[in-house]
Amino acid sequence: FPMAATDPQVLALAAQITESREQDIPLLLLKLKGILSSPFLGCEESNKIKQDIYDYGLTQYCLLVLKQDHSQLHGAWATAAQLAEILSHCCVGLEVKEDPEEFYRKFLPSVTDSLLVLGKRLQARFIRAIKDKEKQDFLHWFQIVTDAICWLLGGHMQLAARVLQNDRFLQLLITDDVETAIVMMSVLHNILRINSSVLLQVEEETLHSVLDELVYKLSSTTNPAVGSAATKLLLLVAKSCKQLVQLFTARYKGLKGLLSKQWTGKGFDREVNQLWDLLDLEQSSGKGEMQKQYEAACVIQAAWRGFQTRKRLKKLPQAVVTLQRSFRAKREQELQHLTKQKEDEALKLQMQLQRQRAMRLFHERQLALLEVVHASQVNKYMQEMEEKSALTIQRFWRGYRARRIFHQQKQYLKEYKAAVIIQRAACKFLEKRRRRTPLSPWKEPKGLTDEQRLALQQKVDDYIKLHPASQMSEERSRELHVQAQAKLAQFLLRNRLDQRAAQRREALLAQVNTDVELLMNAPGLAETTEKDFGAFMSRSIPVATKARQAHNTMLKYTRWPWWKKLGDEFMEDDLIPDDAINTELETLFIGGRK
């Protein structure tokens, strides 16, 4: 702590705060209000006490308390509002000698941010409050905080631009609540009185936001208090800078009419007339050629609108007839739609009743059949019914899938046919054009001269000399022919023998497979009959049996339904897949092949 002469009250309070608990510090800081408002203090003594308070860190304590949750403090929002007032009074008139940059660059901006945050929270609580007593208390505390902000800006004018550019200040100003809106416009009025050129120091977006909100309040409310505050603010802005008057006339072209129609005779006509005169003076000074062009455009637009109106009036009877026709057509269409909808609903209800009746009859028939069927055959009967049901479901599903594929392919087929037609037309067109083209007259080739003929003959003789033809005697040719004929006869004889051997192997393999199958399906020795013995002794009976089975399989395959043969459109009629025959016969071998 500094060793210079310090006010004993400040010293005692600082010592008490250092020894107290954290939750008791806000109530102790409220004692600063009594120290600062002592009637025996002069200007120098007051500034000395503020310096001591800052040196002992009590202002920093106030700032830290304001940054906490205000609802957890002793006294809640009342304590926070009083601490805000104390903090603003401690900062005004304070001259920091040690590290002033810390005070002006960091501490004071932090104080303004904390005060704006507190004001925003009090405003939100006031708007949400229901009881009148709570609303009065929150409004009173809100006014204390706004007065503290104005007091702080009065002592430190450089903070005005920072406050206006703070988003929370714009949030406080942009509100539909009447009481807090009037308080915030009074704060803005005090800021402009303290520093009239502050609006020229802020960013253009911030300036437009503030002015837009003031003009919006004039246009959206009928409350005389809000209108008076907004009008006075706009008048103060217009008087402070001529550039802003030009901005008014360029950005808010209907402001004059709004003032004269809505806010005349509301108790603040003097301010309204002054603002109206300023706007009128600016418009009259900048009228000139632009006004003439505007008036000319108005005349042209009026003439054009009159022409359009007369033209529309002439077409009015026809338009009425067209409107009536379209109305009747639409009404008829709606009636047809309602009729169709009723018919659909009736049909749907009828189909549902028929379906229910059919299901009931089906279940009754099932129960009747179950009563007739023997108990030992019930499971078999139920299994057959399940298989039939499954087949029916599969049949409908495959039919649906085939129709869907057909519709998809139908579009492709249509496109293909269209392409064929286009190509055919193009080919015909090209053929016609080719026929119309006249043929060039026949030109006989130019004959060779004697010199060219001699030169060409010389080239032929030279080539024959360089590439003599190989000659073969007649005896040598006959000998080669005889050799070729002998080799060809040997190849054909060997090939025929190989084919016979392969056929014999296949026949033996088929016979072995047939014997194996007969042995596997043969009954036991106790059950053997003469018929079974003849099957093993005769070679023709197994072959006939196999042929009969293959024939039955082919007949069954030809009787298959169409949905089983969807993938066989391009198969030959006499070609039956071996897998299908094997499946039907349920055997291991047919014709010697697996």
Side-chain angles (χ1 to χ4, degrees):
F1 290 170
M3 300 303 294
T6 305
D7 185 83
Q9 294 180 352
V10 176
L11 185 60
L13 182 60
Q16 190 175 2
I17 288 175
T18 54
E19 296 175 358
S20 301
R21 296 179 301 173
E22 184 178 355
Q23 56 268 27
D24 297 333
I25 292 177
L27 295 178
L28 295 175
L29 291 174
L30 293 179
K31 295 180 181 180
L32 290 173
K33 186 175 182 180
I35 298 174
L36 293 173
S37 60
S38 177
F40 304 103
L41 293 177
C43 182
E44 294 182 0
E45 289 82 0
S46 177
N47 293 338
K48 180 64 173 60
I49 289 176
K50 293 177 182 178
Q51 184 68 41
D52 294 339
I53 292 173
Y54 181 77
D55 292 339
Y56 278 89
L58 299 182
T59 53
Q60 288 82 349
Y61 268 117
C62 292
L63 181 60
L64 292 174
V65 172
L66 288 180
K67 290 182 178 180
Q68 296 177 2
D69 187 5
H70 307 116
S71 61
Q72 303 297 329
L73 301 177
H74 289 289
W77 299 102
T79 302
Q82 294 178 17
L83 288 176
E85 185 180 12
I86 293 170
L87 183 59
S88 65
H89 281 279
C90 290
C91 292
V92 175
L94 177 61
E95 295 180 0
V96 179
K97 297 179 181 179
E98 295 182 0
D99 198 5
E101 185 176 356
E102 177 73 19
F103 177 74
Y104 290 105
R105 294 283 183 87
K106 296 182 180 180
F107 184 74
L108 287 180
S110 180
V111 170
T112 56
D113 293 342
S114 300
L115 294 179
L116 290 173
V117 170
L118 178 59
K120 180 60 182 174
R121 293 178 179 175
L122 288 171
Q123 185 188 47
R125 294 276 180 167
F126 170 76
I127 294 173
R128 291 199 301 267
I130 300 175
K131 299 180 180 179
D132 294 337
K133 182 64 170 60
E134 291 182 357
K135 292 183 76 69
Q136 292 177 3
D137 292 340
F138 279 115
L139 182 60
H140 175 66
W141 298 330
F142 181 72
Q143 289 176 345
I144 291 175
V145 175
T146 54
D147 292 341
I149 294 173
C150 294
W151 182 262
L152 181 63
L153 296 180
H156 301 280
M157 297 175 58
Q158 73 277 7
L159 296 176
R162 179 180 178 85
V163 171
L164 289 181
Q165 291 183 355
N166 196 305
D167 294 337
R168 294 184 179 86
F169 180 81
L170 293 177
Q171 294 173 4
L172 288 168
L173 183 63
I174 301 174
T175 180
D176 293 331
D177 183 70
V178 177
E179 289 85 353
T180 56
I182 293 173
V183 173
M184 288 308 302
M185 284 191 285
S186 66
V187 172
L188 183 58
H189 193 275
N190 292 331
I191 292 174
L192 293 178
R193 282 196 307 172
I194 294 170
N195 188 359
S196 59
S197 62
V198 66
L199 291 177
L200 299 177
Q201 300 174 5
V202 299
E203 297 179 356
E204 185 177 1
E205 183 179 357
T206 303
L207 175 62
H208 289 172
S209 300
V210 173
L211 297 180
D212 290 346
E213 181 60 23
L214 295 178
V215 175
Y216 171 76
K217 291 185 185 302
L218 284 177
S219 62
S220 64
T221 185
T222 57
N223 193 313
V226 177
S228 176
T231 304
K232 290 178 182 178
L233 267 175
L234 291 176
L235 180 60
L236 183 60
V237 171
K239 287 182 178 180
S240 63
C241 185
K242 188 176 180 181
Q243 298 178 4
L244 299 179
V245 181
Q246 296 176 358
L247 179 62
F248 285 162
T249 57
R251 187 174 178 87
Y252 312 107
K253 295 183 179 180
L255 184 57
K256 285 177 57 179
L258 179 65
L259 292 173
S260 60
K261 293 179 182 179
Q262 188 170 343
W263 296 108
T264 303
K266 299 292 184 178
F268 49 94
D269 292 343
R270 187 167 64 89
E271 288 82 2
V272 171
N273 293 331
Q274 289 180 3
L275 181 58
W276 197 90
D277 292 338
L278 287 174
L279 295 175
D280 187 54
L281 180 62
E282 179 63 26
Q283 286 184 354
S284 60
S285 62
K287 199 171 183 180
E289 187 65 24
M290 191 62 114
Q291 182 65 23
K292 292 181 181 179
Q293 293 179 1
Y294 177 74
E295 292 175 356
C298 290
V299 172
I300 295 172
Q301 290 177 358
W304 171 252
R305 291 193 186 100
F307 169 73
Q308 289 289 337
T309 304
R310 290 189 294 274
K311 186 177 178 181
R312 192 160 48 249
L313 288 175
K314 289 181 180 179
K315 294 182 178 180
L316 187 60
Q318 184 180 359
V320 171
V321 173
T322 305
L323 180 62
Q324 292 176 350
R325 187 187 300 113
S326 62
F327 174 74
R328 293 192 188 99
K330 185 176 181 181
R331 185 175 58 184
E332 184 67 22
Q333 186 178 1
E334 290 179 353
L335 291 174
Q336 292 178 1
H337 179 70
L338 289 175
T339 306
K340 185 178 179 182
Q341 187 175 2
K342 290 180 180 178
E343 292 177 355
D344 293 342
E345 290 179 355
L347 181 60
K348 185 177 180 180
L349 180 59
Q350 186 178 2
M351 293 293 292
Q352 187 175 2
L353 292 175
Q354 291 179 359
R355 191 179 295 108
Q356 291 177 356
R357 192 179 298 113
M359 290 295 294
R360 186 168 60 252
L361 293 175
F362 174 73
H363 288 303
E364 290 177 357
R365 286 197 301 269
Q366 273 194 334
L367 292 175
L369 289 173
L370 288 175
E371 291 177 357
V372 174
V373 176
H374 193 268
S376 61
Q377 301 294 325
V378 171
N379 292 334
K380 183 178 180 181
Y381 172 75
M382 294 301 295
Q383 186 176 1
E384 290 179 356
M385 293 302 297
E386 289 178 357
E387 291 178 356
K388 289 182 180 179
S389 302
L391 289 175
T392 303
I393 295 171
Q394 291 175 359
R395 182 172 67 254
F396 278 99
W397 162 247
R398 291 178 180 128
Y400 164 74
R401 185 178 61 182
R403 287 190 297 273
R404 186 177 62 183
I405 295 173
F406 173 73
H407 285 301
Q408 292 177 355
Q409 293 178 350
K410 188 176 180 181
Q411 181 65 24
Y412 300 149
L413 183 61
K414 187 177 180 180
E415 295 177 358
Y416 174 76
K417 289 182 178 179
V420 170
I421 292 172
I422 294 172
Q423 292 175 357
R424 186 185 299 119
C427 292
K428 288 182 178 179
F429 170 75
L430 294 175
E431 184 66 23
K432 288 180 181 180
R433 191 171 66 176
R434 194 180 302 113
R435 290 176 181 176
R436 290 175 185 175
T437 304
L439 297 176
S440 59
W442 170 257
K443 295 181 179 180
E444 295 182 0
K446 296 180 179 181
L448 297 176
T449 60
D450 296 338
E451 296 178 356
Q452 293 176 350
R453 190 178 292 107
L454 291 175
L456 185 59
Q457 185 64 36
Q458 184 65 33
K459 289 182 179 180
V460 172
D461 295 339
D462 294 340
Y463 181 82
I464 292 174
K465 291 179 181 180
L466 292 175
H467 304 86
S470 58
Q471 296 180 359
M472 184 180 295
S473 61
E474 185 177 355
E475 293 79 5
R476 181 58 180 170
S477 298
R478 289 178 180 176
E479 184 180 353
L480 290 176
H481 178 69
V482 171
Q483 292 178 2
Q485 290 293 330
K487 289 183 179 180
L488 179 60
Q490 292 177 4
F491 171 75
L492 294 175
L493 180 60
R494 191 183 306 109
N495 189 21
R496 190 176 296 110
L497 294 176
D498 292 340
Q499 289 179 356
R500 290 178 181 176
Q503 290 176 359
R504 180 173 178 78
R505 284 195 299 273
E506 290 180 0
L508 290 175
L509 183 61
Q511 183 178 354
V512 170
N513 291 332
T514 304
D515 293 340
V516 169
E517 186 176 357
L518 288 174
L519 289 173
M520 291 177 66
N521 296 329
L525 293 176
E527 300 175 357
T528 304
T529 62
E530 293 182 0
K531 187 177 180 179
D532 297 329
F533 179 75
F536 283 96
M537 293 299 293
S538 176
R539 293 286 88 190
S540 60
I541 293 177
V543 175
T545 304
K546 286 294 182 180
R548 190 182 307 108
Q549 290 178 354
H551 179 69
N552 293 335
T553 303
M554 292 174 64
L555 290 178
K556 188 179 292 186
Y557 179 78
T558 56
R559 294 171 185 171
W560 277 356
W562 62 272
W563 48 267
K564 280 191 176 182
K565 297 187 289 185
L566 283 178
D568 302 336
E569 291 87 349
F570 302 102
M571 292 177 60
E572 297 180 1
D573 296 337
D574 57 348
L575 182 59
I576 300 175
D578 294 339
D579 297 337
I581 298 176
N582 287 333
T583 303
E584 294 296 336
L585 293 177
E586 297 182 356
T587 57
L588 294 174
F589 302 99
I590 292 179
R593 290 184 296 169
K594 287 187 180 183

